[in-house]
Every structure is written in C-alpha cells, then in structure tokens.
C-alpha cells in the first residue's frame, strides 16, 4: 500500500481510521473518575518520545518560530484532549465520534468569518444539516456535560485546523506536532500535580495505546495524501463513523438507535456532497497530519 494510486490511498485511510478508533477505545476503557490531567501529561511525554526518531525533520535553527501561535494552538489542543476523554468515557463510542464530525463544519464557519472564504450552497447545506444532525443525535432532553465535552473537542479541532494556516509554511508536520506537545507539557504537569490523583497504570496504558495507534493513523494519512489529491479520497475519512458503530457494538455492546443514524446522515451526507463537487473540479490541496483525531478536521 504505497498510496500512489487512488484505491491504495483510500484503503490507507480506511485502515487509518480504524487505528484511530482503536486509539479511542483505549481512552474509553478508562474509568469515569480516572485522572484526566494525568492522562494528558502522559500523552504529551509519550508523543514527544514517539516523535524523537524524526528529529531531522525539525528545523532546529528556527525551532521556536511562530512560538506564540504554537502556544495558543497547543493549549487549545489541551482543552480538546480533556474534552475528548470526558466525552469518550461517558458517551457511546459512535455518538461521541458523530459529534466529532461537526469539526469540519465549524472549520467552514471559522474560515468564512476570519478569512473571508465564501460559503457555497453545499457548504451552507453542510452547516445547517450538520447542526441539525447534532441536535437529532444528542436531543436537547439528553444534553449532558459529556455531550458538551464532545462539542468542545470538535470546536478545539476546528480552531486548530484554522490556526494552522498562520504557522510558518516551512515547518514540517513533525516540527509543528513536537512544539504543540512541548509547549503544553509544563501546564499538563502542573494540572496533574493540582489534580493530586494517585499513579494509575491504567491511565499509563491508555496513554501509550492511544498515542501509538494515533501515530499509526498519522502515518496512514501522510502516505494517503502524499501523492493523491485530497478531493479524490477525503470521503474515505468518514468510514471512521462506520468503525465507531462496529467497534462500539462489538466491544461495548452499544447499539445505535434511529436517532443516531438519522443525525449521522444529516452530518456526513452534505460533507460527502462537497467532496463529490470538489472531485468534479480537481485541484491539488495539502493535508496536514492529525493528532487526536480529531477525524474530520485533521489538523495536528
């Protein structure tokens, strides 16, 4: 699977999204009262260690270029990590992932507000359909802190996806990811100490598992988008929702209801239509590697 053909690139994205869902499973296996900040700190250390072998891709001569923006993105990402843990621990796997898919819709809105990008009729359909879909899935009577956390995670993903445009163009993805985690590690340490939770091997296992599998997802994304236009294969990203349903049903005995399927279609179908429209007007576009899944808004 070199990713050099459309079919192989699509297969890589399907596999990659499955790996990302396994990453989510490691988080979901945590207890409801697990130390969230301990998890965030361990996630930072493990990710930095996993990135060290790729040190040559980091421009050490301009290591802290764009540091302020990196710091902002990093701390937004930290909020997203915390929200993601709360959502995955409390919500059904498929429900949490469906809400995460609101991220690309928020990217459209933020891009229109801050960059003056024009929303097409398809984009507007995605925006209204997406938010209506979220209401159908969550239903106002069922709104909880976990549901709000899922929305918060999607918002963090969207903000970081928009802010990445302002980062120095010459910085590699590894460079951006490394700075992202490096800058939030001290804050994570302080929050962990403030949390005061006893050491947990379960949290460590969750952090290791989720970090390794999300790295596998990152590799698949890089290979898939390296030589194939994004508009030809992006729709394969939405197989993540299928994996969420299957893994949630098999592993956690979670059976999605009609509300979930209806709302998910309202979110995903307009995004697929946008991809179809873009495919009719091919253009080369770059794709940044993701950390956390972020699935939908793909930004590190």
């Amino acid at each position: 699977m070199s990713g050099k053909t459309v079919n192989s690139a699509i297969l890589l994205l399907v596999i990659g999204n499955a790996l990302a869902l396994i990453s989510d499973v490691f988080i979901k296996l945590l207890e409801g009262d697990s130390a969230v900040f301990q998890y965030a700190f361990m996630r930072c250390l493990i990710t930095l260690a996993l990135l060290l072998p790729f040190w040559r891709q980091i421009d050490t001569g301009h290591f802290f270029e764009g540091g302020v923006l990196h710091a902002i993105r990093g701390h937004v990402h930290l909020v997203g990590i915390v929200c993601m843990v709360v959502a995955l621990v409390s919500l059904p796997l498929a429900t949490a992932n469906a809400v995460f898919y609101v991220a690309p819709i928020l990217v459209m809105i933020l891009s229109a507000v801050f960059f003056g990008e024009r929303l097409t009729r398809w984009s507007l359909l995605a925006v209204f359909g997406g938010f209506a879909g979220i209401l159908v899935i969550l239903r106002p009577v069922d709104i909880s802190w976990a549901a709000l956390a899922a929305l918060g995670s999607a918002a963090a993903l969207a903000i970081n996806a928009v802010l990445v445009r302002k980062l120095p163009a010459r910085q590699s993805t590894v460079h951006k990811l490394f700075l992202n985690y490096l800058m939030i590690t001290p804050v994570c340490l302080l929050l962990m100490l403030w949390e005061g939770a006893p050491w947990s091997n379960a949290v460590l296992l969750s952090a290791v598992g989720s970090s390794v599998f999300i790295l596998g997802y990152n590799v698949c994304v890089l290979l898939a988008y390296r030589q194939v236009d994004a508009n030809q294969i992006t729709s394969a990203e939405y197989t993540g929702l299928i994996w969420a349903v299957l893994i949630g049903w098999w592993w956690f005995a979670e059976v999605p209801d009609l509300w979930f399927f209806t709302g998910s279609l309202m979110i995903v179908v307009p995004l697929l239509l946008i991809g179809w429209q873009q495919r009719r007007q091919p253009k080369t576009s770059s794709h940044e590697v993701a950390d956390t899944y972020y699935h939908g808004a793909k930004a590190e």
Side-chain angles (χ1 to χ4, degrees):
M1 290 183 295
S2 62
K4 294 182 179 180
T5 66
V6 172
N7 288 339
S8 64
I10 288 174
L11 182 57
L12 279 169
L13 289 182
V14 171
I15 294 172
N17 276 273
L19 295 177
L21 258 297
I22 296 175
S23 171
D24 285 356
V25 168
F26 274 96
I27 298 173
K28 189 167 181 59
L29 289 173
L30 290 172
E31 299 292 336
D33 58 350
S34 295
V36 177
F37 295 125
Q38 185 179 121
Y39 168 86
F41 178 67
M42 295 306 302
R43 176 74 174 260
C44 287
L45 292 184
I46 293 165
T47 302
L48 289 173
L50 291 172
L51 291 173
L52 278 177
F54 306 98
W55 181 258
R56 291 186 178 181
Q57 297 184 34
I58 297 176
D59 183 4
T60 54
H62 302 85
F63 186 73
F64 286 107
E65 185 176 359
V68 173
L69 190 56
H70 277 295
I72 294 173
R73 290 186 74 248
H75 289 86
V76 169
H77 180 54
L78 174 58
V79 173
I81 290 176
V82 173
C83 288
M84 180 182 64
V85 173
V86 173
L88 287 171
V89 167
S90 305
L91 293 175
L93 189 63
T95 299
N97 276 270
V99 178
F100 293 157
Y101 274 101
V102 79
I105 298 171
L106 294 176
V107 170
M108 295 179 199
I109 297 173
L110 293 173
S111 297
V113 172
F114 294 105
F115 294 102
E117 293 187 4
R118 186 174 63 88
L119 288 175
T120 66
R121 60 182 179 179
W122 296 107
S123 300
L124 290 171
L125 175 63
V127 169
F128 289 111
F131 283 112
I134 291 300
L135 290 176
V136 169
I137 292 172
L138 297 179
R139 299 183 295 284
V141 294
D142 289 342
I143 290 292
S144 62
W145 283 112
L148 293 176
L151 289 171
S153 182
L157 286 168
I159 292 170
N160 272 353
V162 172
L163 289 179
V164 76
R165 304 183 187 186
K166 294 296 185 180
L167 293 176
R170 64 184 177 186
Q171 286 182 345
S172 68
T173 296
V174 172
H175 192 148
K176 294 170 187 174
L177 278 171
F178 195 87
L179 271 183
N180 188 75
Y181 280 95
L182 182 66
M183 288 191 166
I184 63 174
T185 298
V187 175
C188 288
L189 175 60
L190 291 175
L191 289 172
M192 182 183 71
L193 294 175
W194 171 79
E195 189 176 41
W199 176 261
S200 170
N201 290 329
V203 171
L204 175 60
L205 176 62
S206 175
V208 172
S210 60
S211 298
V212 170
F213 278 96
I214 207 66
L215 178 62
Y217 165 77
N218 290 337
V219 172
C220 289
V221 167
L222 281 174
L223 291 175
Y225 286 97
R226 179 172 294 173
Q227 300 188 61
V228 177
D229 287 347
N231 56 37
Q232 294 183 287
I233 59 175
T234 298
S235 57
E237 297 275 12
Y238 301 105
T239 57
L241 195 54
I242 298 174
W243 286 117
V245 172
L246 293 176
I247 295 175
W249 170 72
W250 176 68
W251 204 317
F252 300 102
E254 299 169 348
V255 182
D257 56 18
L258 183 61
W259 293 103
F260 167 81
F261 287 112
T262 303
S264 296
L265 287 174
M266 294 171 71
I267 296 170
V268 173
V269 170
L271 295 174
L272 291 174
L273 288 174
I274 291 175
W276 174 76
Q277 183 70 13
Q278 290 176 338
R279 191 176 295 118
R280 295 177 61 189
Q281 301 173 344
K283 61 180 180 178
T284 302
S285 56
S286 62
H287 191 94
E288 293 290 348
V289 69
D291 170 69
T292 196
Y293 187 40
Y294 286 127
H295 301 320
K298 303 301 188 302
E300 72 288 334

